[in-house]
């Protein structure tokens, strides 16, 4: 494919940017991106062993459930943020910045659902957690990109990813430790931190 600058410029101009440099709000969203990873990090760190030990589910089924959650989360994010119907719903019911509150609230509530010791409820909680987490990632990136100048986003965007990976490492280390204390403790911690 070969594109001329005449074709690319209109596409790039459709993305909103601001002349405002990085500020406290941007860094707050960076930290929020990291904190959001606590929930998903704990989920991926302990879900396989949790489902095997707590519910006697085979590792094959665990893999299928996690894969379905990832696909479902991506489809949910795409349908809500990219379709006309989804965009209309968001603008009407959860305009920015309330959409981030809805996403993080959904993550927290889903984490608490995952503590209920009934397998179908746990799976629903886990699937919703993954879906709201994916949606939250999209919303956080969108908000930060919209309120930040292109130059400042060159720092803020990567810093958000560093925060996410840093919290992923922390949860990968602490998730199994918390699970050893109480199997549902990582979900309680994740839901509480996300709130």
């Amino acid at each position: 494919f070969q594109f001329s600058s005449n074709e690319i410029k209109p596409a790039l101009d459709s993305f909103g940017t601001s002349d405002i440099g990085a500020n406290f709000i941007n860094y707050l969203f960076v930290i929020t991106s990291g904190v959001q990873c606590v929930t998903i990090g704990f989920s991926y760190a302990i879900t396989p062993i949790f489902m095997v030990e707590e519910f006697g589910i085979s590792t094959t089924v665990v893999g299928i459930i996690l894969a379905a959650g990832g696909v479902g989360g991506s489809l949910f994010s795409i349908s809500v943020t990219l379709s006309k119907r989804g965009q209309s719903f968001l603008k009407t019911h959860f305009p920015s910045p309330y959409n981030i509150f809805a996403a993080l609230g959904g993550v927290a509530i889903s984490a608490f659902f995952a503590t209920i010791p009934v397998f179908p409820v746990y799976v629903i909680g886990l699937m919703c957690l993954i879906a709201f987490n994916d949606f939250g990632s999209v919303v956080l990136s969108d908000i930060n990109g919209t309120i930040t100048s292109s130059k400042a986003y060159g720092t803020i965007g990567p810093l958000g990813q560093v925060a996410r990976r840093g919290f992923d490492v922390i949860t990968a280390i602490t998730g199994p430790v918390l699970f050893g204390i109480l199997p549902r403790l990582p979900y309680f911690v994740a839901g509480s931190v996300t709130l």
Side-chain angles (χ1 to χ4, degrees):
F1 293 98
Q2 187 173 12
F3 295 102
S4 71
S5 62
N6 293 337
E7 294 170 314
I8 295 173
K9 184 160 177 23
L12 293 176
D13 287 344
S14 68
F15 293 97
T17 60
S18 164
D19 292 331
I20 299 171
N23 56 47
F24 171 76
I25 299 297
N26 296 114
Y27 291 107
L28 182 64
F29 281 128
V30 165
I31 292 167
T32 302
S33 293
V35 170
Q36 178 196 9
C37 280
V38 169
T39 307
I40 202 69
F42 277 149
S43 295
Y44 287 135
I46 67 151
T47 293
I49 193 166
F50 183 85
M51 291 177 85
V52 169
E53 288 193 10
E54 293 292 308
F55 300 113
I57 303 302
S58 75
T59 54
T60 302
V61 173
V62 172
I64 291 169
I65 289 171
L66 288 175
V71 169
S74 295
L75 292 175
F76 175 72
S77 295
I78 290 168
S79 67
V80 171
T81 58
L82 297 179
S83 73
K84 297 245 187 251
R85 180 182 255 164
Q87 290 173 352
S88 174
F89 177 82
L90 280 181
K91 285 180 184 176
T92 303
H93 300 290
F94 298 104
S96 186
Y98 300 108
N99 53 6
I100 191 61
F101 301 136
L104 294 176
V107 168
I109 291 167
S110 299
F112 291 128
F113 262 87
T115 64
I116 298 172
V118 177
F119 184 68
V121 175
Y122 172 79
V123 171
I124 290 168
L126 184 65
M127 297 288 200
C128 289
L129 185 152
I130 294 169
F132 280 112
N133 184 71
D134 287 355
F135 174 60
S137 295
V138 170
V139 170
L140 279 168
S141 294
D142 179 56
I143 289 174
N144 231 352
T146 301
I147 65 170
T148 310
S149 67
S150 298
K151 182 179 177 184
Y153 194 76
T155 300
I156 293 297
L159 192 58
Q161 292 304 313
V162 169
R164 291 176 64 81
R165 296 305 146 246
F167 277 90
D168 279 344
V169 169
I170 291 168
T171 57
I173 294 168
T174 59
V177 173
L178 294 174
F179 177 85
I181 295 168
L182 179 69
R184 288 175 176 74
L185 188 56
Y187 292 109
F188 283 121
V189 170
S192 299
V193 168
T194 303
L195 282 177

